Amino acid sequence: MSDEIKKGLLGIVVDETEVSKVMPEINSLTYRGYAAQDLCEYCRFEEVAYLILNKDLPNSIQLKKFEKEEKDNRELSKNLYQVIKNMPKKSHPMDVARTAVSIMGLEDKETSNSSLEANMRKALRIFSKTPTALAAFYRIRSGKKIIKPKKSLSFSENFFYMCFGKVPQKEIVKAFDVSLILYAEHSFNVSTFTARTITSSLSDIHGAITGAIASLKGPLHGGANEEVMHMMNKIKKPSNALKWINNALKNKDVVMGFGHRVYKSGDSRVPTMREYFGKVAKIKKDKTFEKIYDIVEKVMIKKKNIHPNVDYPTGPTYHLMGFDTDFFTPIFVISRITGWSAHIMEQHAANKLIRPLAKYKGNKHRKVMELNYR
Ligand code: COA
């Protein structure tokens, strides 16, 4: 056995997967064999969610059934609404999502059944209910009345409706749908690996997704889309951008929304999301963030050869859509639940307890009785 340490599991292949393929050498990403860009162009988010969970795109009957199940499961229990009402208003919505999924696990009648069929049903319930829980908190914390989910609306339309009380124009909904498709799945990233690690002890899906949400919150992972917005707010206007980024590089700061563990010459999801960011900025008649975006990107590529990741365009896009900054990563959650669930089921199907080794570098062997004050 080699003693070589691979910190951060850098370059280590730990298992096989059929869910998605990240191909950094050609800047490409496929879900179950379909290019993410194609899925963005031709599909709605519900179809992609079905694909990720069920391995194939749905026919019209399968899609109708899936959408009906998703809509039928959106409502929360009275208890969960009450718990959300009682949460501290200053809670980070990622912590609200984490707690809400954990409580769904307490309430789910199939929590201890981890068969494929039960996991599929539970995945769908978590997928349907989490947006409702988040939107309820969105309203409550600003003193507004909760808006209950509406079955006549699509997944994305319903989320806007529950947060803002109205559905925006279809181009905005499409841009949101595209962001959900691009966030849905990305192989063995840290939150997915967390979900698989929890599953590997044969723990349940609610626990695995609760852990994955905690993992996604971190600024080196999903939390980066919020950090991008904080950065853009600090820069404020395009005329400040060049000075700001040069200063950041001089100070050796980590610039959020740039760099990636796997993609080293560009994130395959960025061009599509950049295009939709532009569309939203045009509709909202606000080009400020687009201009800042371009200046910072140009300098990062020229001076550091570090390219943006998908969190760079999603941050300002969600801002222009009207979401509070701390809701950006929770939006990532409502999409990634599909990818996590698929990986959890895949892990269950061919499980091996995940248990790496560590090289000990602590104190030498000591004896309690050798302490002179005893
Ligand atoms: N800003 C400035 N420098 C960066 C950078 C960034 N966003 N990302 C990487 N680098 C630099 C590192 O400082 C390092 O430089 P060095 O060799 O001089 O020390 C080099 O690029 C390699 O980076 P490293 O941190 O080893 O890469 P990694 O694969 O471990 O990390 C990330 C990948 C994503 C954690 C890292 O790029 C990062 O922190 N990005 C910002 C957070 C973010 O956007 N996360 C979302 C990811 S989808």
Side-chain angles (χ1 to χ4, degrees), residues 22 41 51 84 93 114 159 180 212 275 291 300 307 312 366:
V22 183
E41 190 169 348
L51 167 72
I84 294 170
S114 289
F159 190 64
L180 296 184
E275 185 192 328
K291 287 180 187 155
M300 282 299 284
H307 294 254
Y312 192 52
R366 315 192 259 183

Side-chain angles (χ1 to χ4, degrees), residues 4 9 29 34 61 63 65 68 73 100 157 160 182 196 214 219 244 253 269 286-287 329 344 350:
E4 194 193 347
L9 297 179
L29 167 67
Y34 293 102
I61 296 165
L63 181 61
K65 184 167 175 273
K68 183 178 180 323
N73 279 291
E157 287 169 342
F160 277 104
L182 293 173
R196 291 191 75 127
W244 189 94
D253 292 340
R269 300 164 293 181
D286 185 350
K287 300 256 177 185
T329 320
I344 289 164

Side-chain angles (χ1 to χ4, degrees), residues 174-362:
K174 174 66 186 170
F176 189 75
D177 234 47
V178 164
S179 77
L180 296 184
I181 292 172
L182 293 173
Y183 268 148
E185 161 56 16
H186 212 228
S187 195
F188 275 46
N189 56 83
V190 54
S191 57
T192 301
F193 189 60
T194 302
R196 291 191 75 127
T197 304
I198 294 171
T199 304
S200 82
S201 72
L202 300 184
S203 189
D204 56 81
I205 189 168
H206 285 89
I209 292 183
T210 300
I213 294 172
S215 165
L216 188 74
K217 184 185 176 192
L220 296 188
H221 191 14
N225 58 11
E226 295 179 21
E227 296 299 330
V228 166
M229 205 55 230
H230 293 313
M231 175 181 90
M232 293 208 172
N233 282 332
K234 264 187 232 154
I235 297 175
K236 254 192 196 135
K237 45 187 185 180
S239 57
N240 293 337
L242 196 59
K243 192 172 169 210
W244 189 94
I245 182 65
N246 281 327
N247 241 336
L249 292 182
K250 207 170 94 198
N251 296 335
K252 299 205 175 309
D253 292 340
V254 173
V255 182
M256 288 297 166
F258 284 85
H260 198 273
R261 172 56 64 81
V262 182
Y263 299 116
K264 295 298 180 194
S265 54
D267 179 331
S268 64
R269 300 164 293 181
V270 167
T272 310
M273 200 57 230
R274 172 69 184 87
E275 185 192 328
Y276 281 90
F277 166 38
K279 289 184 184 186
V280 173
K282 198 168 169 201
I283 292 169
K284 296 287 178 184
K285 297 189 176 58
D286 185 350
K287 300 256 177 185
T288 311
F289 295 113
E290 245 193 318
K291 287 180 187 155
I292 295 175
Y293 180 109
D294 289 341
I295 296 166
V296 172
E297 179 189 41
K298 208 167 157 192
V299 174
M300 282 299 284
I301 295 175
K302 191 167 169 214
K303 292 203 169 169
K304 298 278 288 180
N305 195 25
I306 299 178
H307 294 254
N309 58 57
V310 69
D311 293 318
Y312 192 52
T314 51
T317 307
Y318 292 151
H319 174 82
L320 288 170
M321 286 172 174
F323 290 104
D324 294 344
T325 304
D326 61 0
F327 258 73
F328 297 178
T329 320
I331 294 170
F332 192 159
V333 168
I334 64 176
S335 158
R336 185 57 67 84
I337 283 169
T338 58
W340 290 330
S341 302
H343 279 275
I344 289 164
M345 289 185 268
E346 193 175 68
Q347 182 71 34
H348 264 297
N351 188 50
K352 178 89 178 162
L353 180 74
I354 296 172
R355 203 307 187 186
L357 299 174
K359 190 170 167 183
Y360 180 70
K361 63 166 200 173

